[in-house]
Amino acid sequence: MKRSGARIHCGTPRDLSLLARRLRAGELVAVPTETVYGLAADAFNAGACRRIFSVKRRPATDPLIVHIASVRDLSRVAAPNEAALRLAKAFWPGPLTIVLPKNEAVPDVVSAGLPSVAVRLPAHPLFRRLIRLAGTPLAAPSANPFGYVSPTTADHVQRGLGGRIRHILDGGPSRVGLESTIVDLRNPSRPRLLRPGGISHQEIVRVLGIPVARPRRKAGSAAPQVAPGQLARHYSPRAFVVLHERLPDRAGTGATAGEAWLFLRKPARARGKNIYWLSPRGELPQAARNLFAALRRMDEAGYSRIHAELSRAPGLGEAINDRLRRAAAR
Ligand code: TXA
Ligand code: MG
């Protein structure tokens, strides 16, 4: 059965040049990145960027990330400093976003009126080729309706936004699976981690050689509130998520209908269709890659309560926990 919705392109040179033309004409294109799929528009076109907000039903107070294809383009959108260039050299292309003073060429709608802008040089080869062909930096938030779980496949985008956009570039499942790490370098001598992601706090400290402030969790709240637009409740499935430091190996016995369990690794004993795991052997990169798809599958299966296990590992474990806490926030 043919589903109506956006057209899915597979990234032939012909597809890419068509999509680059659409972007230059001010249209929106959903794009693959190594973190999650994004909904892209010409970052210098205020009208096109405004449409990103309306398609996603995203509040205008939540700024977008601007994507570039080469470090040389950084100064087209921001005022770089030495610390930013050092992080760029170490981690770009990759899952790291840097917040810097904004170049006035970037319209205010992109930065939600802030004098700063968030910039990333993504690693996904198709997306980078598309940015190059478009010849302009591309503003792109995650390609999901505001507040829902971020998409890590073209099909996730189709299901969430297919009725409201025309083009999706399919670049396969996202390799990292969690949104980028965001570092605030507006003041390079006082760097701050705004969102944990694929690049760890420790790796950033190692490259910058100075302390990096971490997001603080307010007492009594389930998630940090540091970057604008980083609502506590975000990345959320419809189901109610309950967090556990450790899930019992016999989880699921005596469960009420509607309850399901999400383990980090395959449990030794628990079995049943309401038992899910993120990685057979609990490998963190694989767990991160599978997290959002697992939450979607559990939603689709109709569970109303998801018991999820937090990671005890640093680095990626913290990023997984951050997304689980947001999913659990009410
Ligand atoms: O991995 C990612 O970062 C993905 C892919 C598509 O690149 N994008 C993404 O975008 O996660 P989004 O819109 O879901 O999250 C962007 C977040 C905003 O919610 C905000 O917290 C932060 O980036 N941000 C953007 N501009 C900022 C600024 N000027 N200052 C502080 N935070 C900013
Ligand atoms: Mg998002």
Side-chain angles (χ1 to χ4, degrees), residues 33 35-36 38 58 62-65 67 97 99 114 116-118 120 140-142 179-180 182 194-195 227-228 230:
T33 96
T35 59
V36 299
R58 177 182 176 106
D62 190 355
L64 308 179
I65 294 174
H67 299 77
T97 295
V99 174
L114 295 170
S116 59
V117 63
R120 183 162 98 83
S142 50
E179 302 84 350
S180 59
I182 306 182
L194 300 183
R195 179 172 74 183
Q230 288 228 28

Short mmCIF file of all heavy atoms in Angstrom, two decimals, residues 33 35-36 38 58 62-65 67 97 99 114 116-118 120 140-142 179-180 182 194-195 227-228 230, ligand 1:
data_model
loop_
_atom_site.label_atom_id
_atom_site.label_comp_id
_atom_site.label_asym_id
_atom_site.label_seq_id
_atom_site.Cartn_x
_atom_site.Cartn_y
_atom_site.Cartn_z
N THR A 33 21.29 12.78 9.94
CA THR A 33 22.58 13.15 10.54
C THR A 33 23.00 11.96 11.40
O THR A 33 22.22 11.05 11.64
CB THR A 33 22.54 14.45 11.40
OG1 THR A 33 22.36 14.11 12.78
CG2 THR A 33 21.48 15.42 10.94
N THR A 35 23.48 11.96 14.46
CA THR A 35 22.85 11.99 15.79
C THR A 35 21.38 11.59 15.68
O THR A 35 20.99 10.51 16.12
CB THR A 35 22.98 13.39 16.42
OG1 THR A 35 22.37 14.35 15.55
CG2 THR A 35 24.44 13.74 16.66
N VAL A 36 20.57 12.47 15.09
CA VAL A 36 19.15 12.19 14.83
C VAL A 36 18.82 12.88 13.50
O VAL A 36 19.61 13.69 13.01
CB VAL A 36 18.24 12.75 15.96
CG1 VAL A 36 18.58 12.11 17.31
CG2 VAL A 36 18.32 14.28 16.06
N GLY A 38 17.21 15.63 11.09
CA GLY A 38 16.92 17.04 11.29
C GLY A 38 15.93 17.55 10.25
O GLY A 38 15.74 16.93 9.20
N ARG A 58 6.80 24.16 17.16
CA ARG A 58 7.83 24.42 18.17
C ARG A 58 7.70 25.87 18.61
O ARG A 58 7.54 26.77 17.79
CB ARG A 58 9.18 24.20 17.49
CG ARG A 58 10.44 24.47 18.31
CD ARG A 58 11.63 24.21 17.40
NE ARG A 58 12.93 24.49 17.95
CZ ARG A 58 13.80 23.55 18.35
NH1 ARG A 58 13.47 22.28 18.27
NH2 ARG A 58 14.99 23.87 18.80
N ASP A 62 12.57 28.59 21.28
CA ASP A 62 13.50 27.46 21.30
C ASP A 62 14.42 27.54 20.07
O ASP A 62 14.01 27.19 18.97
CB ASP A 62 12.68 26.15 21.31
CG ASP A 62 13.54 24.93 21.58
OD1 ASP A 62 14.77 25.05 21.67
OD2 ASP A 62 12.95 23.84 21.68
N PRO A 63 15.67 28.01 20.25
CA PRO A 63 16.53 28.30 19.09
C PRO A 63 16.97 27.04 18.33
O PRO A 63 16.96 25.94 18.86
CB PRO A 63 17.74 28.98 19.73
CG PRO A 63 17.75 28.53 21.14
CD PRO A 63 16.32 28.30 21.53
N LEU A 64 17.35 27.24 17.06
CA LEU A 64 17.75 26.15 16.17
C LEU A 64 19.27 26.02 16.13
O LEU A 64 19.99 26.97 16.42
CB LEU A 64 17.25 26.43 14.74
CG LEU A 64 15.77 26.76 14.58
CD1 LEU A 64 15.45 27.05 13.12
CD2 LEU A 64 14.91 25.63 15.12
N ILE A 65 19.74 24.84 15.71
CA ILE A 65 21.17 24.64 15.50
C ILE A 65 21.48 24.88 14.02
O ILE A 65 20.75 24.42 13.14
CB ILE A 65 21.59 23.21 15.91
CG1 ILE A 65 21.41 23.03 17.43
CG2 ILE A 65 23.03 22.90 15.50
CD1 ILE A 65 21.64 21.62 17.94
N HIS A 67 23.91 24.22 10.83
CA HIS A 67 24.85 23.19 10.38
C HIS A 67 25.69 23.71 9.22
O HIS A 67 25.16 24.26 8.25
CB HIS A 67 24.09 21.94 9.96
CG HIS A 67 23.29 21.33 11.09
ND1 HIS A 67 22.10 21.85 11.51
CD2 HIS A 67 23.53 20.26 11.88
CE1 HIS A 67 21.63 21.13 12.52
NE2 HIS A 67 22.49 20.15 12.77
N THR A 97 27.92 20.41 19.26
CA THR A 97 27.38 21.72 18.89
C THR A 97 28.02 22.76 19.80
O THR A 97 28.15 22.55 21.00
CB THR A 97 25.85 21.73 19.05
OG1 THR A 97 25.29 20.80 18.13
CG2 THR A 97 25.27 23.11 18.81
N VAL A 99 28.03 26.80 21.07
CA VAL A 99 27.29 28.06 21.14
C VAL A 99 28.29 29.22 21.21
O VAL A 99 29.18 29.23 22.07
CB VAL A 99 26.33 28.09 22.35
CG1 VAL A 99 25.67 29.47 22.49
CG2 VAL A 99 25.27 26.99 22.23
N LEU A 114 18.19 35.47 20.57
CA LEU A 114 19.41 35.55 21.39
C LEU A 114 20.55 36.14 20.56
O LEU A 114 20.58 36.00 19.34
CB LEU A 114 19.83 34.16 21.86
CG LEU A 114 18.88 33.44 22.82
CD1 LEU A 114 19.31 31.99 22.98
CD2 LEU A 114 18.87 34.15 24.17
N SER A 116 23.38 34.91 20.55
CA SER A 116 24.29 33.78 20.31
C SER A 116 23.67 32.82 19.30
O SER A 116 22.48 32.90 19.01
CB SER A 116 24.54 33.04 21.63
OG SER A 116 23.30 32.60 22.16
N VAL A 117 24.51 31.90 18.79
CA VAL A 117 24.01 30.90 17.84
C VAL A 117 24.70 29.58 18.11
O VAL A 117 25.88 29.54 18.49
CB VAL A 117 24.23 31.38 16.37
CG1 VAL A 117 25.71 31.52 16.05
CG2 VAL A 117 23.56 30.43 15.38
N ALA A 118 23.97 28.48 17.92
CA ALA A 118 24.52 27.14 18.11
C ALA A 118 24.93 26.60 16.75
O ALA A 118 24.16 26.67 15.80
CB ALA A 118 23.47 26.24 18.76
N ARG A 120 27.02 23.45 14.36
CA ARG A 120 27.54 22.08 14.32
C ARG A 120 27.99 21.73 12.91
O ARG A 120 27.35 22.13 11.94
CB ARG A 120 26.44 21.11 14.77
CG ARG A 120 26.90 19.66 14.84
CD ARG A 120 25.93 18.86 15.69
NE ARG A 120 24.94 18.12 14.92
CZ ARG A 120 25.15 16.94 14.36
NH1 ARG A 120 26.34 16.37 14.45
NH2 ARG A 120 24.19 16.31 13.72
N ALA A 140 18.68 23.45 11.45
CA ALA A 140 17.90 22.22 11.57
C ALA A 140 17.76 21.78 13.02
O ALA A 140 18.75 21.45 13.67
CB ALA A 140 18.52 21.09 10.75
N PRO A 141 16.53 21.73 13.51
CA PRO A 141 16.26 21.06 14.78
C PRO A 141 15.96 19.60 14.46
O PRO A 141 15.94 19.21 13.29
CB PRO A 141 15.00 21.76 15.27
CG PRO A 141 14.25 22.07 14.00
CD PRO A 141 15.30 22.31 12.93
N SER A 142 15.74 18.79 15.48
CA SER A 142 15.35 17.41 15.23
C SER A 142 14.01 17.38 14.48
O SER A 142 13.16 18.24 14.70
CB SER A 142 15.27 16.65 16.55
OG SER A 142 14.48 17.37 17.48
N GLU A 179 20.87 13.21 20.37
CA GLU A 179 21.24 14.53 19.90
C GLU A 179 22.65 14.92 20.36
O GLU A 179 23.13 14.43 21.38
CB GLU A 179 20.24 15.60 20.39
CG GLU A 179 18.81 15.36 19.98
CD GLU A 179 18.09 14.40 20.91
OE1 GLU A 179 18.76 13.77 21.76
OE2 GLU A 179 16.86 14.28 20.76
N SER A 180 23.24 15.87 19.63
CA SER A 180 24.62 16.28 19.89
C SER A 180 24.82 16.83 21.30
O SER A 180 23.91 17.36 21.92
CB SER A 180 25.01 17.37 18.88
OG SER A 180 24.14 18.49 19.00
N ILE A 182 26.02 19.76 23.54
CA ILE A 182 26.08 21.21 23.30
C ILE A 182 27.00 21.85 24.35
O ILE A 182 26.83 21.65 25.56
CB ILE A 182 24.69 21.87 23.38
CG1 ILE A 182 23.69 21.18 22.43
CG2 ILE A 182 24.79 23.36 23.06
CD1 ILE A 182 22.30 21.80 22.42
N LEU A 194 25.86 22.29 28.00
CA LEU A 194 24.42 22.57 28.08
C LEU A 194 23.58 21.31 27.89
O LEU A 194 22.48 21.23 28.40
CB LEU A 194 24.01 23.61 27.02
CG LEU A 194 24.67 24.98 27.12
CD1 LEU A 194 24.10 25.91 26.06
CD2 LEU A 194 24.49 25.58 28.50
N ARG A 195 24.09 20.36 27.10
CA ARG A 195 23.33 19.12 26.87
C ARG A 195 24.33 17.99 26.67
O ARG A 195 25.19 18.09 25.80
CB ARG A 195 22.45 19.28 25.61
CG ARG A 195 21.65 18.03 25.27
CD ARG A 195 20.66 18.27 24.15
NE ARG A 195 21.29 18.36 22.85
CZ ARG A 195 20.64 18.63 21.71
NH1 ARG A 195 19.33 18.87 21.74
NH2 ARG A 195 21.30 18.69 20.58
N ALA A 227 19.87 25.36 28.82
CA ALA A 227 19.79 25.99 27.52
C ALA A 227 18.35 26.43 27.29
O ALA A 227 17.43 25.77 27.72
CB ALA A 227 20.21 25.01 26.43
N PRO A 228 18.17 27.56 26.61
CA PRO A 228 16.80 27.98 26.33
C PRO A 228 16.10 26.90 25.54
O PRO A 228 16.70 26.28 24.67
CB PRO A 228 17.00 29.24 25.49
CG PRO A 228 18.40 29.16 24.98
CD PRO A 228 19.17 28.39 26.00
N GLN A 230 15.28 24.08 26.44
CA GLN A 230 15.50 22.72 26.93
C GLN A 230 14.49 22.43 28.01
O GLN A 230 14.80 22.45 29.19
CB GLN A 230 16.91 22.57 27.47
CG GLN A 230 17.92 22.56 26.37
CD GLN A 230 18.89 21.40 26.55
OE1 GLN A 230 18.55 20.38 27.12
NE2 GLN A 230 20.08 21.56 26.06
O1 TXA B 1 22.17 16.41 17.16
C1 TXA B 1 21.56 17.48 17.11
O2 TXA B 1 21.93 18.48 17.75
C2 TXA B 1 20.31 17.53 16.22
C3 TXA B 1 20.75 17.39 14.78
C4 TXA B 1 19.61 17.63 13.82
O3 TXA B 1 21.81 18.24 14.51
N1 TXA B 1 19.60 18.74 16.45
C5 TXA B 1 18.91 18.99 17.58
O4 TXA B 1 18.20 20.17 17.55
O5 TXA B 1 18.88 18.25 18.53
P1 TXA B 1 17.08 20.55 18.59
O6 TXA B 1 16.36 21.69 18.02
O7 TXA B 1 16.24 19.39 18.90
O8 TXA B 1 17.85 21.11 19.79
C6 TXA B 1 18.49 22.35 19.66
C7 TXA B 1 18.79 22.89 21.01
C8 TXA B 1 17.77 23.89 21.52
O9 TXA B 1 16.65 23.28 22.10
C9 TXA B 1 18.59 24.65 22.54
O10 TXA B 1 18.55 23.95 23.75
C10 TXA B 1 20.00 24.58 21.96
O11 TXA B 1 19.98 23.65 20.93
N2 TXA B 1 20.39 25.89 21.40
C11 TXA B 1 20.22 26.35 20.15
N3 TXA B 1 20.68 27.61 20.04
C12 TXA B 1 21.16 27.96 21.24
C13 TXA B 1 21.76 29.13 21.79
N4 TXA B 1 21.97 30.21 21.05
N5 TXA B 1 22.11 29.11 23.08
C14 TXA B 1 21.92 28.01 23.86
N6 TXA B 1 21.34 26.87 23.40
C15 TXA B 1 20.96 26.85 22.12
#
